[in-house]
Amino acid sequence: MSVFFLSPVVFVVRACDERVGTHGTGVGHGNLATVLHAMELVTADGTVRTVTAESDPDIFYGVGIGLGIMGVVTKVTLHAVPKFNLFEKKILITDDELYENFDAIVNGTEYVKMWKDENTRSVLIFMSSRTTDEPWGNSWHAVSSFKIWIFEGILYAISVYESLIPAAMKLIVHYLDGLPSGERVSTWDDVFNIPHRLPVHPEMEFAVPYAKAAAALQHISKFIDEHNIAVDMYSEIRFVAADRFWLSNEYEMDTCHITLLMYNREEAFLSFHTDMSRELLSMGGRPHWGKMFDLTETQLRPLFPRWDNFVDLKLRLDPHGMFCNALVRRVFNESRVC
């Protein structure tokens, strides 16, 4: 049995995952599109094409993260490796400690992700590397449903009573630090897959150039302080390697993905989203296609050097706009691909 591993996220493989740039974390690993070896594409006129980077690089790199608007992907072939175990270590540090050791932390382990709390100025860091050791230590699956409900109950309470947010987030950070054990060895799917029952919630994500990652995180914290914004959930920080897909967040750029969300407070989040989008855009950030964003084509085109090539390919493969929808019409409002 084998699994793909370059994007450490556990999911069922669907065409839509790779076509919006779904990713995991690790400076040496790309997003899901980078594990593509070949794809079978049915275009608007019914033509069936088997495409690889060698056979037709324009279609491969254009459609690989093509937002689903070039045709229907009916089959994919992925690069894979045998299943493996991971040694995971969690540490809780302060923001200052993170910035003092940023590159060493991010580059020190194969897979690194962070949960950052703006209330306590603390960061919970997950570091994982492959190992031949047998599993030991607690699993997320060993955490009782009762404890998970406590966590979710706290989140609901602070979404209603904002005054509780600072104290409650301090409690949550230390609660999460203990789930599961600080060090363990487990299977790749247990380490990468964290169970939760969060309801549908507004969420935004920007990929900033890795070289600007620490500065971007510091800027977010400063903005939150200056505008007295009540943030009731941690941000998630992940790292993804550069690739060649035209509309990829990682097109020719190693990135740091910063995910910002709030729990059950959509109105407050909409204002926060507008402000953060403007700030991260100014730092060269690119919006995740599968998350909330409201940028126009005028704002998006400068972020993606192959934007016009993508538009030309869209017009060639789907000249009559069979695969258009409201989002496509908004994102490509100037190019009129629909």
Side-chain angles (χ1 to χ4, degrees):
M1 180 179 179
S2 62
V3 296
F4 52 87
F5 72 101
L6 295 182
S7 291
V9 176
V10 177
F11 42 68
V12 176
V13 178
R14 300 171 298 177
C16 61
D17 285 319
E18 48 91 355
R19 297 175 82 180
V20 296
T22 295
H23 63 92
T25 190
V27 291
H29 298 300
N31 58 46
L32 179 55
T34 65
V35 303
L36 275 175
H37 172 71
M39 67 181 116
E40 184 177 87
L41 177 70
V42 182
T43 52
D45 63 359
T47 301
V48 180
R49 308 165 186 257
T50 297
V51 181
T52 68
E54 292 74 28
S55 68
D56 197 329
D58 280 356
I59 292 182
F60 185 81
Y61 290 112
V63 175
I65 297 181
L67 314 184
I69 68 173
M70 300 288 195
V72 179
V73 174
T74 54
K75 186 185 300 182
V76 294
T77 303
L78 304 176
H79 295 285
V81 298
K83 62 182 180 180
F84 53 87
N85 292 340
L86 287 167
F87 169 71
E88 181 186 57
K89 181 178 181 179
K90 293 196 285 87
I91 60 171
L92 182 63
I93 63 176
T94 66
D95 279 13
D96 288 341
E97 290 171 320
L98 170 64
Y99 300 133
E100 289 171 4
N101 304 281
F102 194 84
D103 288 331
I105 291 172
V106 175
N107 293 280
T109 312
E110 185 173 6
Y111 303 106
V112 177
K113 75 173 179 181
M114 307 174 183
W115 288 352
K116 186 174 185 297
D117 175 48
E118 297 298 339
N119 298 276
T120 60
R121 289 294 189 264
S122 59
V123 188
L124 184 59
I125 302 177
F126 299 77
M127 300 174 288
S128 303
S129 56
R130 275 177 278 186
T131 179
T132 57
D133 292 349
E134 292 300 311
W136 56 267
N138 293 333
S139 162
W140 281 100
H141 300 292
V143 178
S144 70
S145 296
F146 177 69
K147 289 182 178 179
I148 294 176
W149 279 116
I150 291 176
F151 167 61
E152 293 169 356
I154 294 173
L155 287 179
Y156 179 77
I158 62 180
S159 72
V160 177
Y161 304 103
E162 287 191 6
S163 61
L164 298 176
I165 289 177
M169 287 305 299
K170 183 176 182 179
L171 177 64
I172 285 174
V173 166
H174 288 279
Y175 173 81
L176 291 173
D177 185 33
L179 299 177
S181 53
E183 294 185 4
R184 63 178 178 139
V185 171
S186 192
T187 57
W188 67 273
D189 55 317
D190 179 55
V191 173
F192 290 152
N193 184 26
I194 298 177
H196 63 77
R197 289 190 292 268
L198 289 178
V200 175
H201 57 272
E203 182 173 314
M204 65 177 291
E205 181 174 329
F206 268 72
V208 299
Y210 176 78
K212 297 182 179 180
L217 294 171
Q218 291 172 308
H219 186 73
I220 290 171
S221 296
K222 181 180 178 182
F223 188 93
I224 288 173
D225 282 348
E226 290 177 347
H227 294 81
N228 196 30
I229 300 172
V231 180
D232 63 0
M233 272 296 286
Y234 51 79
S235 56
E236 185 170 50
I237 302 156
R238 292 173 288 173
F239 305 92
V240 188
D243 61 52
R244 297 172 58 191
F245 292 91
W246 293 354
L247 288 196
S248 171
N249 288 157
E250 283 68 57
Y251 180 76
E252 296 186 342
M253 180 175 80
D254 294 333
T255 65
C256 169
H257 279 253
I258 303 171
T259 303
L260 303 170
L261 62 151
M262 289 185 182
Y263 181 92
N264 201 33
R265 297 168 61 228
E266 187 167 354
E267 185 174 342
F269 182 79
L270 290 175
S271 175
F272 182 52
H273 167 266
T274 299
D275 292 334
M276 285 295 96
S277 293
R278 181 183 64 249
E279 299 301 315
L280 293 173
L281 187 65
S282 71
M283 303 189 77
R286 295 167 174 168
H288 191 300
W289 296 112
K291 303 290 179 72
M292 183 176 176
F293 70 95
D294 59 4
L295 303 180
T296 65
E297 185 168 6
T298 299
Q299 295 167 301
L300 290 167
R301 177 182 275 111
L303 303 177
F304 299 94
R306 301 300 295 271
W307 184 275
D308 290 336
N309 299 106
F310 183 87
V311 169
D312 291 342
L313 183 64
K314 163 66 175 173
L315 294 172
R316 176 158 69 92
L317 297 182
D318 183 21
H320 303 296
M322 176 180 289
F323 299 106
C324 286
N325 56 37
L327 176 62
V328 175
R329 294 185 183 93
R330 175 172 68 81
V331 170
F332 295 93
N333 64 304
E334 295 178 3
S335 299
R336 301 188 183 280
V337 299
C338 298

